């Protein structure tokens, strides 16, 4: 059975990947799900001039908890065995590294929209997914 890594971000669409992983768990195709939330480092912004590093880390943790809340609820209600990983760093590189570190067999991500109204975010997500596919040693499945 597979151990799945599911990146969860601020977008509610990332929950589609969580639901797909839940489906695979219920069908006995997956044995465990690892949720990952990657926050961009706030110290690389101008915020570090106004706030100490400890305050920036607390903000990152708050954002991560908000992003992961619904995903954890979905997995708990379905009785899925899961763990949570929160990291700070470049998104694609961090996801690929955690997949290897945790021994995951597959990464399940949500596919970017092909919607003209969400062009900027879709371009960002496509570039992250393209980089993830390129650098990952683990297969990447995109869920629509």
């Amino acid at each position: 059975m597979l151990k799945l890594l599911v990146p969860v971000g601020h977008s509610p669409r990332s929950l589609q990947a969580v639901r797909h992983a839940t489906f695979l768990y219920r069908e006995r195709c997956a044995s465990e799900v690892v949720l990952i939330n990657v926050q961009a480092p706030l110290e690389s912004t101008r915020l570090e001039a106004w706030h100490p590093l400890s305050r920036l880390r607390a903000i990152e943790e708050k954002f991560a908890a908000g992003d992961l809340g619904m995903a954890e609820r979905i997995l708990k209600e379905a009785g899925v065995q899961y763990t949570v990983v929160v990291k700070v760093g470049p998104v694609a590189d961090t996801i690929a590294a955690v997949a290897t570190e945790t021994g995951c067999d597959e990464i399940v991500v949500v596919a970017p929209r092909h919607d003209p109204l969400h062009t900027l975010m879709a371009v960002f997500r496509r570039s992250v997914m393209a980089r993830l596919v390129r650098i990952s040693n683990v297969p990447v499945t995109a869920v629509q």
Side-chain angles (χ1 to χ4, degrees):
M1 287 203 284
L2 300 173
K3 184 174 182 180
L4 305 175
L5 180 70
V6 183
V8 178
H10 188 64
S11 168
R13 290 191 69 239
S14 64
L15 297 177
Q16 291 172 331
V18 175
R19 289 184 185 100
H20 183 71
T22 302
F23 169 77
L24 292 175
Y25 185 88
R26 284 183 178 163
E27 294 295 314
R28 293 185 173 42
C29 297
S31 60
E32 183 181 351
V33 174
V34 178
L35 293 178
I36 181 170
N37 178 268
V38 181
Q39 295 290 318
L42 291 176
E43 66 267 13
S44 63
T45 64
R46 292 184 180 214
L47 287 174
E48 68 180 338
W50 304 102
H51 300 286
L53 187 58
S54 61
R55 172 77 175 126
L56 296 179
R57 288 292 179 253
I59 292 169
E60 291 164 350
E61 289 174 14
K62 181 179 176 185
F63 285 149
D67 292 346
L68 289 164
M70 185 56 122
E72 287 188 77
R73 192 172 311 127
I74 290 168
L75 295 177
K76 279 181 189 172
E77 287 175 1
V80 175
Q81 180 181 343
Y82 73 96
T83 56
V84 176
V85 176
V86 177
K87 296 280 186 176
V88 175
V91 179
D93 298 304
T94 305
I95 292 170
V98 168
T100 302
E101 290 169 10
T102 57
C104 289
D105 301 303
E106 186 176 344
I107 301 171
V108 180
V109 297
V110 66
R113 287 185 188 180
H114 296 289
D115 183 355
L117 296 175
H118 298 92
T119 305
L120 183 61
M121 283 308 291
V123 168
F124 172 73
R125 285 195 187 104
R126 272 194 292 270
S127 67
V128 169
M129 191 167 76
R131 175 149 177 80
L132 181 60
V133 168
R134 212 171 38 252
I135 66 172
S136 178
N137 295 328
V138 176
V140 178
T141 301
V143 176
Q144 210 34 296

